[in-house]
DNA sequence: CCCCCGACTTGGCGCTACGCGA
DNA sequence: TCGCGTAGCGCCAAGTCGGGGG
C-alpha cells in the first residue's frame, strides 16, 4: 500500500511531487517531469499556465440502444410505440429514449424532501418540465396529448429486470472474461484518461455528460427538464494547434466545434451545459492529479492563514462600523460579523426563474431570523444544495440591535440586508485586507478550529492508531459542524444502526473468553461510539477534509504523534495534498 | 462603468469495488 | 468461498468571484 509518511520527511515540495507523479509518466509523446518542468511551473509568467497541451479529445457517451419492440408505454391504458431512431430534434434524443429517462426517475425521491411524499412522479413541476420537453420531441400531431394518462411502468419494469440480469451475468463471468473487461477499461483510460501538459502526463476525465433528466439538488424551477445529447460540434477543445486530435464518435469521423489554444486557462475542453447552454461545462485534469489545483490550494490556505494573522485588525474594523451612521455601512459590518461568527456562505444573487431559492448571508430574509431572549438570534434557512441551516447564537449588543431594526416592520419575505450583496460585501472586506473575500472566512474557520482542537488533543504514545484516529475525527467533526456539512440522504436510520451495533458489540464483549477478544470488541465499540455524534447530526466530514482543512495542520499533527497519514487521507487526498507532505511537525496554521 | 458570464471551487449522493466475517 | 456492508470515488449540481466586453 502506501509508504509510511516518515519516508517523506524533509523532502522539498518539488521532490515529493516528482516522487508522486513522475514514476508513472511514461507514455508515447510524454517524457518524465524533470527539475526544469517543476521550476518552470513556479516561474511561469502571470496568467500563463502551459506551453504545450496534448490529449486525445473527449469521450462521448454510448449511443442509444432501442428497447425490444414489445416494451411499450401505455397511453390511456393502451400500449403505444414510440419512435426509437429519430434524433432529428434540438435535444438529439428519440421519443423512446426520453421515456426511458423518465421511467427510471418516477420512483426516485426529489432530494432534500421527505421520501414518503416526494417521489418525482408526484412532483408537479418535475412532471410539467419533462412533459414540455418531451412534447416537442413527440411533435404536435402525436396521439399523446394528456401527460396524466401516460403509464411509464412497463418500461421501468423492463429496465429494472434488465439491470438485474446484467448483474447476474457479471457474477457468472469467468475470470478470463473479467480480466478482458478490465483490460478494455484500461485501454480506454490509456487513450482518454490522460493529458500531456508541457511534456508531463497527468490524469484527466474525458467523459462528456450523457443525456438525461436534470435532477436538482434542491428545488430548482428547471427540475425535470431533459438534458440534451452533446454533439461533437458542441465541443471546444483547448489544445496545442500542432496536436489537434482526430474527432471520432462511435468510430465514425466527425468535426470538433472549435479548436482553441488558450494558455491562460486549465480546461481541456468545454461545451454548453446540456440543460442551459448559457452556462459552460468544462473538462479538466483530475483534481487530485492536477498541479494547478495543488498550487491554487496552497494559495487559498495562505490567504486564510493571513486572515488568521490579521483577524484582530479585521474584527476591530468591522466592530467600529457596527455603530456607523450610514445604514449601508452598518449592514456591511453586521454581515461581516455574522460571516466571522457563523461562517455562512456569502450568498450571490440568483435568478429565481432558473435557480433554487436557497439562501446565503446577503440574501437572508427576515423570516429566517428569530430574536430570542438574552440577545440570541436563531438563523433558520435553506443553504447551498438544499441543506438546512439552523443555529442559535448569542450576538453582541450592536449586532442584535442592528438585525432587529433591519427586520422591524418588514414582511418575512423581505431581505434582511436590502442595500448590500456579495459583491459589495467583498468590496468592503478589501478595506481590511487585500485579497480578502467572503469565502476566506470559511477556510479560516476550518483551519483555526482544527488547529485548536488538535492542540488540545494530545494522544498518549501508547495509544493505538485507531484511538488517535478517533481523536482526530472528533476534531474533524467540529469543523464539519461549523461549516454545516451534512449528509441528508442517510436520514435517522444511521443513528439507530450505530446504536444497534454498539449493543451487539457489548454483548460480544461480555461473551468474550480471552482478554484479546475482549480488547478487540472494545476497539470496535470505541469506533462505533465515535460515529455516534457524526450520525446523529448527519454530519459529513468529507467536504471539509477535501476543500477546507489546510493539509499542513494534519501533516504536522501526524508527524508529531507518529500517526500514519494514510489512515486519515485516502489515496486521492494524499495526491491532492502532495505539496504539504514536507511540512514539519512544529508547523502551525 | 457595470453587469454578465467565464472559470474555477465547493457540495451531496449514487454506484461499485473491495474487504471482512461467516 | 460467498454474500454483505461500507468507504471512497466519480458524477454532476450549485456555489463564488473577478474581469472581459458592451
Amino acid at each position: 500500500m502506501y509508504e509510511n509518511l516518515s519516508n517523506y520527511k524533509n523532502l522539498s515540495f518539488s521532490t515529493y511531487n516528482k516522487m508522486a507523479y513522475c514514476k508513472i509518466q511514461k507514455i508515447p509523446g510524454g517524457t518524465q517531469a524533470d527539475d526544469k518542468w517543476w521550476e518552470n511551473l513556479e516561474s511561469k509568467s502571470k496568467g500563463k499556465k502551459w506551453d504545450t497541451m496534448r490529449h486525445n479529445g473527449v469521450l462521448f457517451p454510448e449511443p442509444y440502444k432501442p428497447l425490444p419492440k414489445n416494451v411499450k408505454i401505455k397511453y390511456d391504458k393502451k400500449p403505444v410505440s414510440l419512435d426509437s431512431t429519430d434524433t432529428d430534434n434540438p435535444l438529439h434524443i428519440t421519443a423512446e429514449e426520453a421515456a426511458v429517462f423518465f421511467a427510471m426517475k418516477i420512483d426516485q425521491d426529489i432530494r432534500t424532501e421527505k421520501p414518503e411524499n416526494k417521489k418525482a412522479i408526484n412532483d408537479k413541476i418535475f412532471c410539467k418540465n419533462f412533459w414540455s420537453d418531451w412534447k416537442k420531441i413527440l411533435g404536435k400531431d402525436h396521439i399523446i396529448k394528456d401527460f396524466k394518462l401516460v403509464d411509464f411502468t412497463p418500461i421501468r419494469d423492463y429496465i429494472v429486470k434488465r439491470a438485474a440480469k446484467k448483474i447476474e451475468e457479471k457474477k457468472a463471468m469467468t475470470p478470463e472474461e473479467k480480466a478482458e473487461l478490465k483490460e478494455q477499461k484500461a485501454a480506454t483510460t490509456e487513450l482518454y484518461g490522460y493529458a500531456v501538459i508541457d511534456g508531463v502526463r497527468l490524469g484527466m476525465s474525458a467523459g462528456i455528460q450523457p443525456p438525461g433528466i436534470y435532477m436538482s439538488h434542491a428545488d430548482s424551477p428547471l427540475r425535470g427538464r431533459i438534458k440534451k445529447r452533446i454533439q461533437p460540434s458542441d465541443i471546444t477543445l483547448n489544445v496545442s494547434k500542432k496536436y489537434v486530435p482526430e474527432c471520432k464518435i462511435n468510430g465514425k469521423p466527425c468535426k470538433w466545434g472549435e479548436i482553441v489554444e488558450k494558455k491562460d486557462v486549465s480546461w481541456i475542453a468545454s461545451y454548453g451545459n446540456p440543460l442551459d447552454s448559457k452556462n459552460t461545462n468544462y473538462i479538466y485534469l483530475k483534481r487530485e492529479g492536477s498541479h494547478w489545483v495543488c498550487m491554487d490550494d496552497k494559495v487559498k490556505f495562505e490567504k486564510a492563514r493571513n486572515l488568521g494573522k490579521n483577524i484582530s485588525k479585521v474584527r476591530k474594523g468591522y466592530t467600529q462600523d457596527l455603530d456607523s451612521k450610514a445604514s449601508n455601512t452598518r449592514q456591511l459590518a453586521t454581515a461581516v460579523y455574522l460571516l466571522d461568527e457563523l461562517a455562512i456562505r456569502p450568498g450571490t444573487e440568483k435568478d429565481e426563474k432558473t435557480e433554487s431559492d436557497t439562501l446565503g448571508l446577503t440574501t437572508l430574509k427576515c423570516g429566517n431570523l428569530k430574536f430570542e431572549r438574552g440577545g440570541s438570534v436563531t438563523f433558520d434557512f435553506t443553504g447551498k444544495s438544499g441543506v438546512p441551516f439552523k443555529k442559535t447564537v448569542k450576538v453582541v449588543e450592536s449586532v442584535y440591535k442592528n438585525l432587529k431594526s433591519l427586520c422591524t416592520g418588514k414582511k418575512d419575505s423581505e431581505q434582511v440586508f436590502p442595500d448590500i450583496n456579495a459583491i459589495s460585501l467583498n468590496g468592503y472586506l478589501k478595506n481590511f485586507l487585500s485579497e480578502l473575500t467572503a469565502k476566506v472566512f470559511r477556510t479560516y474557520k476550518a483551519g483555526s478550529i482544527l488547529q485548536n482542537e488538535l492542540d488540545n488533543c494530545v494522544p498518549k504514545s501508547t495509544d493505538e492508531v485507531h484511538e488517535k484516529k478517533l481523536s482526530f475525527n472528533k476534531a474533524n467533526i467540529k469543523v464539519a459542524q461549523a461549516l454545516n456539512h451534512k449528509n441528508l440522504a442517510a436520514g435517522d436510520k444511521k443513528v439507530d444502526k450505530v446504536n444497534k451495533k454498539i449493543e451487539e458489540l457489548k454483548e460480544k464483549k461480555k461473551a468474550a473468553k480471552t482478554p484479546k477478544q475482549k480488547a478487540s470488541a472494545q476497539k470496535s465499540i470505541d469506533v462505533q461510539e465515535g460515529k455516534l455524534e457524526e450520525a446523529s447530526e448527519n454530519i459529513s466530514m468529507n467536504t471539509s477534509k477535501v476543500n477546507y482543512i489546510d493539509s499542513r495542520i494534519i501533516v504536522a499533527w501526524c508527524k508529531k504523534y507518529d500517526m500514519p497519514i494514510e489512515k486519515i487521507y485516502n489515496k486521492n487526498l494524499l495526491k491532492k495534498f502532495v505539496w504539504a507532505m514536507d511540512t514539519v511537525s512544529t508547523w502551525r496554521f
Side-chain angles (χ1 to χ4, degrees):
Chain A
M1 287 301 280
Y2 301 106
E3 296 156 83
N4 190 290
L5 173 72
S6 59
N7 297 339
Y8 298 125
K9 266 182 195 170
N10 303 321
L11 290 179
S12 69
F13 173 30
S14 63
T15 313
Y16 189 89
N17 263 315
K18 278 184 283 182
M19 288 179 65
Y21 295 132
C22 300
K23 287 179 197 162
I24 53 162
Q25 281 152 6
K26 288 181 193 151
I27 54 141
T31 61
Q32 291 197 36
D34 54 12
D35 290 328
K36 219 182 228 163
W37 191 81
W38 292 102
E39 277 162 27
N40 273 342
L41 188 65
E42 309 224 21
S43 64
K44 280 251 150 77
S45 57
K46 199 182 173 284
K48 191 177 177 193
K49 292 199 152 129
W50 52 268
D51 287 309
T52 65
M53 185 187 285
R54 179 174 192 180
H55 51 79
N56 288 323
V58 297
L59 201 53
F60 293 98
E62 292 277 297
Y64 177 66
K65 291 189 194 71
L67 297 173
K69 289 278 176 259
N70 61 332
V71 181
K72 295 172 184 177
I73 55 160
K74 286 181 186 164
Y75 183 62
D76 201 12
K77 302 199 173 69
K78 290 183 279 293
V80 172
S81 296
L82 295 168
D83 188 282
S84 64
T85 56
D86 181 17
T87 56
D88 188 21
N89 54 62
L91 299 173
H92 303 289
I93 285 168
T94 70
E96 186 185 88
E97 185 176 13
V100 171
F101 291 154
F102 193 79
M104 294 317 290
K105 298 293 183 195
I106 55 182
D107 294 321
Q108 206 163 307
D109 299 326
I110 294 292
R111 274 203 192 180
T112 75
E113 292 288 338
K114 288 269 179 285
E116 53 279 11
N117 53 8
K118 269 296 184 179
K119 296 260 179 257
I121 188 86
N122 299 327
D123 184 319
K124 283 201 182 95
I125 295 177
F126 187 87
C127 292
K128 194 193 93 206
N129 282 335
F130 174 76
W131 175 225
S132 79
D133 281 347
W134 195 37
K135 203 154 52 175
K136 282 178 212 146
I137 298 174
L138 291 172
K140 61 175 186 291
D141 298 326
H142 203 275
I143 57 162
I144 295 175
K145 297 270 185 252
D146 184 356
F147 189 68
K148 281 202 249 6
L149 298 179
V150 187
D151 177 8
F152 291 89
T153 55
I155 291 186
R156 178 201 59 191
D157 294 346
Y158 169 77
I159 303 271
V160 167
K161 227 181 271 171
R162 191 177 68 179
K165 204 173 135 200
K166 220 170 178 181
I167 290 172
E168 286 306 312
E169 280 171 5
K170 212 173 169 188
K171 260 189 210 160
M173 272 181 357
T174 64
E176 291 78 33
E177 286 170 323
K178 276 182 188 163
E180 202 195 315
L181 198 71
K182 213 170 177 181
E183 215 164 281
Q184 274 174 14
K185 258 191 183 169
T188 309
T189 307
E190 193 61 36
L191 205 54
Y192 289 100
Y194 301 93
V196 179
I197 313 291
D198 292 344
V200 173
R201 191 170 85 147
L202 301 159
M204 65 177 266
S205 19
I208 295 295
Q209 254 196 48
I213 291 180
Y214 170 66
M215 302 299 286
S216 168
H217 286 177
D219 56 354
S220 163
L222 302 184
R223 61 189 185 272
R225 294 272 316 269
I226 299 176
K227 296 189 296 177
K228 72 170 190 168
R229 185 178 282 273
I230 297 297
Q231 305 299 116
S233 58
D234 296 326
I235 309 285
T236 301
L237 285 189
N238 194 19
V239 64
S240 291
K241 283 278 194 299
K242 61 173 172 176
Y243 293 129
V244 176
E246 220 181 312
C247 184
K248 270 197 286 189
I249 185 163
N250 313 317
K252 283 188 213 125
C254 54
K255 231 180 147 233
W256 301 115
E258 202 183 335
I259 306 288
V260 298
E261 200 172 7
K262 282 164 84 81
K263 297 186 177 179
D264 58 333
V265 297
S266 62
W267 54 264
I268 290 161
S270 73
Y271 55 98
N273 183 292
L275 182 72
D276 172 8
S277 56
K278 278 203 293 295
N279 294 316
T280 314
N281 281 11
Y282 298 95
I283 302 280
Y284 294 102
L285 290 179
K286 281 178 190 280
R287 278 199 285 245
E288 66 276 10
S290 167
H291 53 294
W292 293 312
V293 171
C294 282
M295 303 202 94
D296 290 349
D297 265 1
K298 198 175 176 187
V299 171
K300 172 180 79 181
F301 291 128
E302 279 305 307
K303 270 186 200 167
R305 224 172 147 217
N306 190 35
L307 173 58
K309 289 198 182 105
N310 291 284
I311 194 70
S312 49
K313 184 179 114 190
V314 174
R315 285 179 180 153
K316 205 172 155 194
Y318 70 68
T319 302
Q320 271 174 13
D321 286 346
L322 286 172
D323 301 313
S324 163
K325 284 199 182 86
S327 160
N328 192 58
T329 308
R330 267 198 327 269
Q331 286 177 43
L332 287 166
T334 309
V336 175
Y337 175 91
L338 297 175
L339 205 54
D340 191 7
E341 196 70 24
L342 288 163
I344 306 176
R345 295 180 193 82
T348 42
E349 276 158 347
K350 299 167 115 193
D351 181 351
E352 58 177 26
K353 283 197 200 67
T354 57
E355 293 176 291
S356 316
D357 71 340
T358 50
L359 302 176
L361 180 57
T362 60
T363 50
L364 283 178
K365 292 167 184 172
C366 294
N368 303 120
L369 268 57
K370 217 173 117 202
F371 296 90
E372 315 283 356
R373 257 183 256 164
S376 293
V377 183
T378 298
F379 295 82
D380 187 353
F381 61 94
T382 305
K384 180 177 176 180
S385 300
V387 176
F389 183 105
K390 189 168 184 182
K391 283 180 192 174
T392 304
V393 280
K394 183 147 171 54
V395 297
V396 296
E397 215 183 309
S398 309
V399 169
Y400 190 89
K401 191 187 74 201
N402 286 350
L403 288 172
K404 195 140 196 190
S405 87
L406 282 164
C407 288
T408 302
K410 278 198 212 161
K411 285 188 211 131
D412 277 0
S413 60
E414 282 182 87
Q415 299 236 329
V416 177
F417 303 109
D419 305 318
I420 68 171
N421 59 27
I423 297 165
S424 63
L425 186 68
N426 282 336
Y428 177 69
L429 289 172
K430 297 265 184 307
N431 295 334
F432 304 122
L433 211 55
S434 68
E435 299 200 302
L436 182 59
T437 61
K439 85 185 183 79
V440 177
F441 278 86
R442 283 171 71 75
T443 317
Y444 157 67
K445 193 117 198 156
S448 63
I449 290 175
L450 193 82
Q451 183 73 69
N452 246 320
E453 291 296 317
L454 290 185
D455 281 351
N456 297 324
C457 166
V458 182
K460 291 189 283 294
S461 58
T462 54
D463 278 357
E464 287 184 50
V465 168
H466 89 272
E467 290 169 300
K468 291 179 192 170
K469 177 75 194 290
L470 283 173
S471 316
F472 175 82
N473 279 0
K474 268 191 184 163
N476 197 161
I477 286 171
K478 286 267 184 340
V479 175
Q481 276 172 327
L483 299 177
N484 206 45
H485 288 145
K486 294 187 181 186
N487 173 349
L488 304 169
D492 307 330
K493 283 172 274 176
K494 216 169 160 185
V495 186
D496 299 344
K497 221 169 164 184
V498 174
N499 273 324
K500 208 176 140 200
K501 209 156 191 180
I502 291 174
E503 286 309 308
E504 276 171 24
L505 286 165
K506 278 183 178 163
E507 287 301 311
K508 198 172 162 188
K509 189 184 164 191
K510 243 185 245 168
K513 290 197 183 82
T514 64
K516 204 177 164 191
Q517 281 176 342
K518 215 167 201 150
S520 149
Q522 184 58 46
K523 178 178 163 182
S524 303
I525 291 171
D526 290 347
V527 170
Q528 291 304 320
E529 283 181 340
K531 283 185 185 168
L532 212 52
E533 189 177 13
E534 186 192 350
S536 68
E537 294 181 47
N538 287 327
I539 290 168
S540 150
M541 285 188 278
N542 198 50
T543 306
S544 48
K545 223 187 216 171
V546 175
N547 297 305
Y548 285 101
I549 292 171
D550 188 329
S551 45
R552 290 171 295 184
I553 306 170
I554 293 180
V555 172
W557 186 78
C558 283
K559 284 186 179 174
K560 200 164 171 187
Y561 298 109
D562 199 25
M563 169 75 175
I565 196 161
E566 61 271 23
K567 300 285 177 197
I568 291 176
Y569 283 148
N570 62 31
K571 184 178 69 173
N572 278 348
L573 286 180
L574 283 174
K575 266 179 107 179
K576 185 170 189 265
F577 294 124
V578 77
W579 56 270
M581 292 300 155
D582 59 349
T583 306
V584 294
S585 63
T586 49
W587 189 92
R588 293 183 54 80
F589 178 73

